Amino acid sequence: MEQFFRFWFFLAIFSLQVFCSEALQEAKSPGDIIIGGLFPIHETCFNLFTRFSVARLAQSLMMVRAIEEINQSGELGNITLGYHIVDSCGDITTALRNTLPFMKINGEHSQDIILMAVIGDYYSEISVAVTRQLNLEKIPEISYGSTSGLLSDKTRFPSFLRTVPEDDHQAKAVIEILKDHNWNWVGIVATDGEYGRYAVERLRHHAERHDICFAYIKFLPEFLVDNNLKDSINEAVKSITENTNVSVIVSFTKPNHMMYIFDNVLKHHRGRNKVWIASDTWSQSVNCLDTTRWNLKDVGTIFGITLKSGNTSRFEQFLRNLDNRPDLYQNNSFLSDFLNGTVSGSNTSLDTKITQLINMIYPYAVFSIELAVKAIAEAVKDLCINQECDIATLQPEKVPNFYLDGKKYSFDKKSNLNSGYDIVLWRYNSPNTLDMNYEVGHYHIEQGSITFIRSEIMRSRCSTCYPGEWKVRKAGQPICCYECKKCPVNYYSADKDASLCLACENTTHYSFEGSQNCTKKRIDYLEWDDVYHIVLLAFAALGVLLTLVVAVIFLARWNTPVVRSSVGPIAILLLLSLLSTFGSVVFFGGQPKDWQCQTRQVLFGLSFTLSVSCILVRSFRIIMAFEFDPVTQGILEKLYKPYLIIPLCMAGQVLICTVWLAYRPPVFQEDSKSFVKLLLLKCHENLFPAFGAMLAYIGFLAIICFILAFKGRKLPECYNESKFITFSMLIYIITWIIFGPVYMNVTGKYNSAIEMAVILISAYSVLFCLFFTKCYIILFKAEENTVNVFRNTVRNFSMGKDRNLDKNYPRFTKNNSLVALNKKINKVYRIVSRINISQHEIIII
């Protein structure tokens, strides 16, 4: 069985060689040292499918011109360079057969002629086979276009060099283009060979690190004679047209493959207006697009990655002089066939044919081929001048540095020349002239970066999250396909396709749902120029003024019955406490600070406790003065110690405030949670039980005052201060009961304003009820502010009490009532005298 297969294999090879014998052509020029050339001048060796490539013919002539230039410069002394160029036909078998003569040159051990190296081939899969064959005779191969990374393996390909970078760098350049345009959902089309497979593998490797995904990867047969080519083309076209959200296709194929793809894709409307990223194999190939059927607008946009370009002017001049160089193409069957019209489609004038050659100049090829010839010439200098040439001593890693157009070049340790890439954009110079050499960027291998002229093309993404959103991966989907969710409140994303939302600065910034940035919060507090604050401060200032006015009036009328009935010293103490209460309101506004937060509550608590304590003493004195039951009055007289009661009442509040300040005092706080847009500066009570205890203590004293005053509500009109005490305490209790829930539920800067208003209401209720009525009598009813009026009022009130007593107890006589009245008046005098008031005055508290 094995022999059977071997027989048919050799039979097929033999048949192929016989069939291709007519296509075997060459170009020769004699010299002391020969440089071989291997170019795919025909696309295939089969006559049925033969396609002559004007561009590859031009590339072979680039080698010819570079060698002639070396010879004319005389830099090699008496040594002249010759060439022997053959056609690879883009086919491995043909290339191997046609390079056999190169091996014979050195194999015959001729001392007169030496084959120093072979320049070519353009395709990587051909170079892989040819370099192995040439290495049998230690002949180096220097490629001007084979970019497969496999050829960098010096263990497997020790005699291979190239004047172009390997495809790993080209894959990086493609990824940089995709990144630069924010494309992450692309299609891949490549040839199924060393070149295409390696390029796709490197694309995958680099794409994973940049979240770039491939919607599909389609491989096409390497050779055009493959029976599966048509089916593979149709399958690739189907993927391109059906994936409507894939607008970018990366292609590592040959020009003829792209010609077939374009012819089929452009038939479908959905296959048009795409972005194509062309590898160096077809990025400057005009044959890809049949301009008789389609134009660039149908295709869309084509970015091309090309090898570094050189100066084409010298080569253009060389081509223009071809009609004056008949000797040049006499030994060049490729050129002769083209100029003589033997090649299909070349039956035109000589000038037209030369123009065709000029139009097929690829600047990168001029540069790469000239570098290859220069490198060989430098090796000849090093090995053959002043000594006998020994090709066996030429090692790729020992090729010396060389210069081209004044710039120094050298091969790296993998025998690659990393010159970088140019990025071109296909465009029309005129309505009918397609320019494929328009440079729009450069890729620098050393930096691994691209310098690109930006242009908005189109989007090609599986998913796109815009600023204000973040990516949520879909289970079972590629990394480029995801859902987008809006950033929550106080989070943001400023970039497209953010992996997560960033948190705003909690205390100083905010954002709404789906925000692209954070906005600085407006600092808010009860400012001095706030209208409500101004109104409250105005009332506080008015309260201070009125308190001072009352104090002045009382001091001016110190010895009058109204003032004396108010227990003068305690009245002044009460006025001082009200003054302090009004003053405490000032500390509730403005930008808060720790000391201010602690001062305002403590100052109010102590000052108003003093006020209520003074009122409590006066309420107690009212009950004691008009209590006619001897037993009860005796008890009250013993308990009535005004200057001891007030300090004792104050002591309880001082204890509460001390514990509060010592344990957890009120502090300044930045409240960033209550409001989205505001940073509220406020005082935090910190220990609400202590705050509540302070208010409850004042309330407790106020309730006692209210009870005592309520008992004396039926006293004589001119003494009936207890009614006003009852009313003021009732106002205080109701106000602070309402304050509690309001204060706990209201947020914002006006929280402090609420307490300010309640404090002012409490202070004004005391000031109005206890002092304004007395001031009114002092200022406007002086006739009632006399001892006789007060004495008559007490007498009338006492007689009324006695009449009620006689009705209830008939055994009492009129004389008994008069006796009781005198006793009552004497008791009042006695109480008055104990508080150091003249016994000639009748006083009511």
Side-chain angles (χ1 to χ4, degrees):
M1 183 64 70
E2 182 180 352
Q3 293 178 349
F4 175 79
F5 281 116
R6 183 172 296 180
F7 169 77
W8 282 106
F9 174 76
F10 284 111
L11 181 61
I13 294 296
F14 175 77
S15 301
L16 181 63
Q17 291 180 349
V18 171
F19 189 75
C20 294
S21 60
E22 294 181 2
L24 183 58
Q25 295 176 296
E26 59 185 7
K28 284 186 176 182
S29 178
D32 300 315
I33 295 176
I34 301 299
I35 299 176
L38 185 63
F39 296 87
I41 298 174
H42 291 84
E43 297 296 337
T44 179
C45 67
F46 292 98
N47 291 335
L48 183 62
F49 299 101
T50 295
R51 182 189 294 272
F52 187 84
S53 174
V54 179
R56 304 306 180 192
L57 173 61
Q59 291 171 10
S60 68
L61 294 175
M62 294 173 192
M63 173 180 163
V64 172
R65 191 208 67 83
I67 291 175
E68 287 189 355
E69 188 178 69
I70 296 290
N71 290 334
Q72 293 170 4
S73 68
E75 61 182 277
L76 298 181
N78 295 326
I79 299 175
T80 59
L81 298 177
Y83 57 83
H84 185 183
I85 299 173
V86 296
D87 188 0
S88 70
C89 292
D91 175 70
I92 295 177
T93 304
T94 304
L96 291 173
R97 175 173 58 82
N98 289 349
T99 53
L100 286 175
F102 297 156
M103 301 181 68
K104 292 179 180 179
I105 294 176
N106 289 347
E108 294 173 354
H109 301 288
S110 173
Q111 299 298 318
D112 298 328
I113 300 176
I114 297 175
L115 183 73
M116 181 62 71
V118 175
I119 295 177
D121 186 84
Y122 180 77
Y123 296 118
S124 296
E125 61 276 3
I126 294 177
S127 292
V128 167
V130 169
T131 188
R132 285 172 169 165
Q133 178 171 280
L134 294 175
N135 189 50
L136 296 175
E137 295 294 333
K138 306 296 182 184
I139 300 175
E141 179 184 8
I142 304 180
S143 175
Y144 66 96
S146 298
T147 55
S148 173
L150 296 174
L151 291 165
S152 293
D153 186 349
K154 305 314 294 179
T155 303
R156 299 168 61 188
F157 309 102
S159 61
F160 180 81
L161 302 90
R162 55 184 162 195
T163 54
V164 292
E166 67 162 281
D167 277 332
D168 182 57
H169 299 299
Q170 186 171 190
K172 290 180 181 177
V174 170
I175 296 300
E176 288 297 319
I177 293 175
L178 297 177
K179 283 173 51 185
D180 190 78
H181 289 80
N182 201 24
W183 294 324
N184 74 347
W185 190 235
V186 300
I188 303 290
V189 180
T191 53
D192 191 7
E194 299 285 358
Y195 172 76
R197 290 282 179 181
Y198 180 80
V200 170
E201 188 274 325
R202 300 316 297 166
L203 280 174
R204 279 175 167 165
H205 173 74
H206 297 300
E208 287 178 358
R209 301 185 334 198
H210 299 286
D211 287 349
I212 295 174
C213 305
F214 302 142
Y216 53 84
I217 299 176
K218 297 299 176 182
F219 288 101
L220 306 179
E222 184 75 42
F223 305 107
L224 300 179
V225 295
D226 195 298
N227 294 330
N228 296 322
L229 178 62
K230 185 176 180 180
D231 292 338
S232 299
I233 293 288
N234 291 335
E235 187 178 344
V237 169
K238 182 179 179 182
S239 296
I240 293 170
T241 55
E242 290 184 353
N243 286 274
T244 55
N245 63 336
V246 178
S247 300
V248 178
I249 300 100
V250 178
S251 173
F252 279 83
T253 59
K254 295 179 180 179
N256 286 328
H257 291 91
M258 288 309 303
M259 180 184 67
Y260 296 140
I261 288 177
F262 281 145
D263 283 345
N264 287 273
V265 163
L266 298 181
K267 294 176 183 177
H268 305 273
H269 180 74
R270 289 182 299 179
R272 300 184 182 187
N273 197 28
K274 301 283 187 179
V275 175
W276 295 83
I277 299 179
S279 67
D280 61 292
T281 53
W282 68 276
S283 59
Q284 292 177 307
S285 178
V286 70
N287 295 329
C288 293
L289 187 63
D290 185 357
T291 54
T292 61
R293 299 179 60 193
W294 317 108
N295 58 45
L296 189 57
K297 292 181 180 179
D298 297 323
V299 177
T301 302
I302 299 178
F303 281 113
I305 297 178
T306 69
L307 303 167
K308 274 293 182 180
S309 301
N311 185 356
T312 62
S313 59
R314 296 191 298 266
F315 182 61
E316 286 182 19
Q317 188 59 42
F318 172 81
L319 294 178
R320 295 184 192 280
N321 292 332
L322 282 179
D323 56 343
N324 299 324
R325 295 280 310 276
D327 60 306
L328 184 64
Y329 51 85
Q330 285 176 355
N331 295 323
N332 190 330
S333 61
F334 308 113
L335 181 61
S336 177
D337 288 350
F338 177 71
L339 295 179
N340 293 331
T342 305
V343 176
S344 176
S346 65
N347 190 19
T348 55
S349 66
L350 181 61
D351 290 340
T352 302
K353 293 169 184 175
I354 291 175
T355 301
Q356 278 184 281
L357 286 171
I358 293 175
N359 290 337
M360 289 294 103
I361 294 176
Y362 295 163
Y364 82 86
V366 175
F367 181 69
S368 299
I369 293 172
E370 284 187 351
L371 284 176
V373 174
K374 279 288 185 180
I376 295 172
E378 197 66 33
V380 170
K381 278 185 187 180
D382 193 53
L383 294 176
C384 299
I385 295 181
N386 300 325
Q387 61 180 322
E388 184 177 350
C389 289
D390 184 4
I391 189 174
T393 63
L394 178 59
Q395 300 296 324
E397 65 272 10
K398 294 182 180 179
V399 174
N401 299 333
F402 54 94
Y403 291 84
L404 180 63
D405 296 333
K407 187 175 180 181
K408 182 179 179 181
Y409 296 91
S410 63
F411 293 99
D412 64 12
K413 63 182 181 179
K414 294 182 179 180
S415 301
N416 300 324
L417 201 152
N418 296 322
S419 54
Y421 297 96
D422 293 326
I423 312 300
V424 297
L425 178 67
W426 288 24
R427 66 171 188 171
Y428 282 109
N429 280 338
S430 64
N432 298 317
T433 305
L434 188 60
D435 179 13
M436 295 168 292
N437 299 315
Y438 176 62
E439 293 183 6
V440 294
H442 306 281
Y443 180 76
H444 311 284
I445 291 178
E446 294 80 6
Q447 293 81 18
S449 62
I450 194 169
T451 304
F452 201 86
I453 302 171
R454 269 184 196 277
S455 57
E456 292 296 328
I457 309 294
M458 63 177 66
R459 63 184 295 268
S460 181
R461 304 177 65 82
C462 178
S463 304
T464 299
C465 292
Y466 294 96
E469 299 176 333
W470 65 294
K471 299 187 295 186
V472 179
R473 302 293 182 193
K474 291 182 179 179
Q477 291 291 324
I479 193 172
C480 301
C481 298
Y482 40 78
E483 294 179 351
C484 299
K485 290 188 176 181
K486 291 183 178 181
C487 293
V489 174
N490 290 330
Y491 285 82
Y492 75 99
S493 64
D495 303 319
K496 284 186 176 181
D497 296 315
S499 298
L500 49 82
C501 296
L502 303 177
C504 298
E505 291 288 338
N506 285 336
T507 57
T508 58
H509 292 75
Y510 73 94
S511 68
F512 295 112
E513 185 183 33
S515 295
Q516 301 178 19
N517 52 52
C518 292
T519 304
K520 190 173 183 179
K521 291 186 176 183
R522 182 172 63 86
I523 295 177
D524 197 30
Y525 57 89
L526 192 59
E527 299 182 56
W528 295 107
D529 57 354
D530 187 278
V531 175
Y532 296 105
H533 192 197
I534 292 173
V535 171
L536 292 171
L537 290 177
F539 274 104
L542 179 62
V544 171
L545 179 62
L546 293 177
T547 302
L548 292 174
V549 170
V550 170
V552 170
I553 293 174
F554 267 52
L555 291 173
R557 299 290 189 270
W558 185 257
N559 292 318
T560 60
V562 172
V563 176
R564 304 294 286 184
S565 67
S566 298
V567 191
I570 294 178
I572 297 301
L573 188 61
L574 178 56
L575 289 172
L576 289 175
S577 68
L578 289 177
L579 197 65
S580 179
T581 301
F582 283 120
S584 67
V585 172
V586 178
F587 295 99
F588 283 82
Q591 185 171 347
K593 299 177 178 59
D594 285 344
W595 67 268
Q596 180 182 343
C597 297
Q598 296 165 14
T599 300
R600 66 179 193 171
Q601 296 292 7
V602 173
L603 181 60
F604 162 69
L606 294 177
S607 60
F608 207 73
T609 299
L610 180 59
S611 298
V612 178
S613 300
C614 293
I615 296 172
L616 177 62
V617 169
R618 294 173 65 171
S619 301
F620 195 96
R621 187 164 179 264
I622 292 172
I623 299 301
M624 184 181 65
F626 289 94
E627 178 57 58
F628 297 109
D629 180 60
V631 178
T632 303
Q633 192 172 49
I635 296 173
L636 292 176
E637 287 179 8
K638 292 178 181 179
L639 294 176
Y640 181 70
K641 307 292 182 183
Y643 298 108
L644 181 60
I645 293 174
I646 292 175
L648 286 176
C649 292
M650 288 295 296
Q653 193 65 281
V654 169
L655 178 62
I656 293 173
C657 293
T658 301
V659 172
W660 189 6
L661 293 177
Y663 182 53
R664 284 170 58 185
V667 293
F668 157 70
Q669 185 184 65
E670 293 181 346
D671 183 5
S672 60
K673 297 180 180 180
S674 298
F675 298 94
V676 175
K677 297 182 179 181
L678 300 178
L679 178 62
L680 183 63
L681 307 183
K682 67 176 185 178
C683 287
H684 179 52
E685 312 309 337
N686 208 12
L687 191 62
F688 279 100
F691 179 50
M694 182 191 78
L695 298 179
Y697 185 77
I698 299 174
F700 172 71
L701 296 179
I703 291 173
I704 295 176
C705 292
F706 175 79
I707 294 172
L708 293 177
F710 186 77
K711 286 180 64 67
R713 66 189 182 282
K714 295 182 180 180
L715 296 180
E717 288 297 327
C718 61
Y719 309 113
N720 201 3
E721 190 179 44
S722 61
K723 288 184 179 180
F724 297 107
I725 293 175
T726 301
F727 187 63
S728 66
M729 290 300 99
L730 187 61
I731 292 174
Y732 171 82
I733 293 171
I734 293 173
T735 302
W736 284 94
I737 288 175
I738 296 173
F739 165 79
V742 174
Y743 184 82
M744 294 300 295
N745 289 283
V746 172
T747 57
K749 63 181 179 179
Y750 293 115
N751 185 279
S752 296
I754 293 172
E755 187 170 359
M756 292 172 67
V758 173
I759 291 172
L760 289 174
I761 291 172
S762 302
Y764 270 111
S765 67
V766 174
L767 183 64
F768 275 68
C769 293
L770 271 65
F771 290 99
F772 274 30
T773 53
K774 297 183 182 299
C775 290
Y776 176 75
I777 293 174
I778 292 172
L779 296 176
F780 301 106
K781 291 190 177 182
E783 67 279 3
E784 295 182 7
N785 189 15
T786 62
V787 175
N788 292 331
V789 173
F790 274 68
R791 185 175 294 165
N792 291 334
T793 302
V794 173
R795 180 178 291 109
N796 294 336
F797 176 79
S798 298
M799 290 178 66
K801 285 285 186 179
D802 287 340
R803 283 193 293 269
N804 291 333
L805 186 64
D806 291 340
K807 293 178 181 178
N808 294 327
Y809 301 98
R811 65 182 182 275
F812 285 100
T813 61
K814 183 177 182 180
N815 291 332
N816 291 337
S817 297
L818 292 173
V819 172
L821 175 61
N822 290 331
K823 289 181 179 179
K824 292 172 186 175
I825 293 174
N826 290 333
K827 288 179 183 179
V828 173
Y829 283 165
R830 187 167 64 251
I831 293 171
V832 171
S833 66
R834 290 183 62 181
I835 56 175
N836 300 320
I837 299 178
S838 172
Q839 293 187 11
H840 300 289
E841 299 174 359
I842 303 299
I843 310 299
I844 187 68
I845 302 171

